[in-house]
Amino acid sequence: MSIFNLFEKQSSANIAKERLMMVLSYERKGLPSNFADILKNDLIAIFSKYPQFDSDNIEVEIKSEDDRDELWISIPFANGK
């Protein structure tokens, strides 16, 4: 991704394509289509016990790069450091 891609608005076709690819990726792994949401809610329940973390901004995604799928989880610190 170049710096110029940051300011481009994604077309609805590209957004639909990304969502379809995500659903297919989940199906290939035998995961429910709402797997990321379930995992995110579980992580929020766990990390909300710790004030050091910003549990409202936890992100969970399955990303595909270079023919490899990865579970990507971001749990930011509360103070941003």
Side-chain angles (χ1 to χ4, degrees), residues 26-69:
Y26 283 30
E27 284 186 9
R28 276 185 261 145
K29 291 172 181 35
L31 301 172
S33 60
N34 61 346
F35 174 76
D37 292 332
I38 293 169
L39 183 56
K40 181 179 177 177
N41 290 335
D42 287 347
L43 291 171
I44 288 171
I46 292 168
F47 283 92
S48 64
K49 298 175 187 173
Y50 303 94
Q52 297 89 346
F53 296 101
D54 181 6
S55 60
D56 292 334
N57 289 307
I58 290 175
E59 296 178 54
V60 176
E61 293 181 43
I62 293 180
K63 295 183 175 186
S64 296
E65 289 186 20
D66 300 328
D67 296 329
R68 186 173 114 177
D69 294 333

Side-chain angles (χ1 to χ4, degrees), residues 5-21:
N5 291 343
L6 294 173
F7 302 106
E8 287 183 18
K9 184 177 179 181
Q10 282 192 313
S11 70
S12 59
N14 283 342
I15 293 170
K17 180 181 174 183
E18 287 179 11
R19 287 182 182 162
L20 178 61
M21 291 177 68

